[in-house]
Amino acid sequence: MQIAGCSALVTGAASGLGAATAEALAAAGAYVVGFDLREGESDHVTYVTGDVTDEEQVRAAVQRANDAVPLRIVVNCAGIIGAERAVGREGAQPLEHFERVVRVNLVGTFNVTRLAAEVMQTVEPQGEERGVIVNTASVAAYEGQIGQPAYSASKGGVAAMTLPLAREFARSGIRVMAIAPGIFGTPMMSSLSRQAQDSLGAQVPHPSRLGRPEEFGQLVQNIVENPMLNGEVIRLDGAIRMGPK
């Protein structure tokens, strides 16, 4: 699909992977609406503040994007970490902590996907397709570490729903893909010391460093432009396989 002349909705667009993706799509000629709890700082992105789990706020953001030019690209990057053992020193993890991570990462992703696809199904086809949805999973979906049951479950759910969504939307000419990033240099990672970041980067076989957000954005662009990429989760991780902790 040609990016120029399309409207794109990117969640979690105020920072990290979402911000880099929004910039990449804008540079490729898309009208980009960034949806986040806080407003970003880019001059190339129109920001709408809101929560991915709120139906009305998401509907408004989808409509904002589609009112400008046809909405054909949706990228879900909004998410939270939530590192906590199922049973810690103070006892069992509060259930609401698990529910919050799953609600933001999985339910929020599905909420945006369903509401965006509803609108994307109505736009005129561009060649043989109407649109592309790219969701963000994680290598934790496959090699979750100790303390990541909620995060791994949420990202595993994102990975698992990729194929059934792609199959459902195929009749409408809408592709659905997911990216499972490894260890990336995002604002969440910047809270660690430089020594800790370098140590994590050294665990990546090649290249032995943290992933760069713009590399995530580059893959999103590749997915949008390649019509045969559909119903699959792509690991973007430098061949890392996470250990137990």
Side-chain angles (χ1 to χ4, degrees), residues 10-106:
V10 180
T11 71
S15 64
L17 303 181
T21 299
E23 289 293 334
L25 294 174
Y31 172 80
V32 181
V33 172
F35 186 71
D36 205 308
L37 288 173
R38 61 188 181 86
E39 189 168 319
E41 299 177 353
S42 171
D43 294 331
H44 310 113
V45 178
T46 299
Y47 287 97
V48 175
T49 57
D51 185 339
V52 292
T53 67
D54 187 293
E55 181 169 352
E56 293 309 312
Q57 291 177 3
V58 172
R59 281 191 184 279
V62 168
Q63 196 61 51
R64 175 73 174 272
N66 195 56
D67 283 346
V69 286
L71 176 62
R72 300 188 185 278
I73 303 168
V74 174
V75 187
N76 279 300
C77 294
I80 57 177
I81 292 290
E84 188 174 1
R85 291 174 182 248
V87 181
R89 293 179 179 177
E90 298 181 2
Q93 175 185 155
L95 187 59
E96 58 267 25
H97 293 186
F98 185 94
E99 290 175 331
R100 179 172 180 267
V101 175
V102 172
R103 179 159 180 77
V104 174
N105 294 353
L106 178 56

Side-chain angles (χ1 to χ4, degrees), residues 128-152:
E128 60 188 3
E129 56 186 337
R130 283 189 169 86
V132 184
I133 298 171
V134 182
N135 294 328
T136 303
S138 167
V139 296
Y142 307 101
E143 300 116 33
Q145 298 182 298
I146 293 172
Q148 290 187 322
Y151 186 71
S152 295

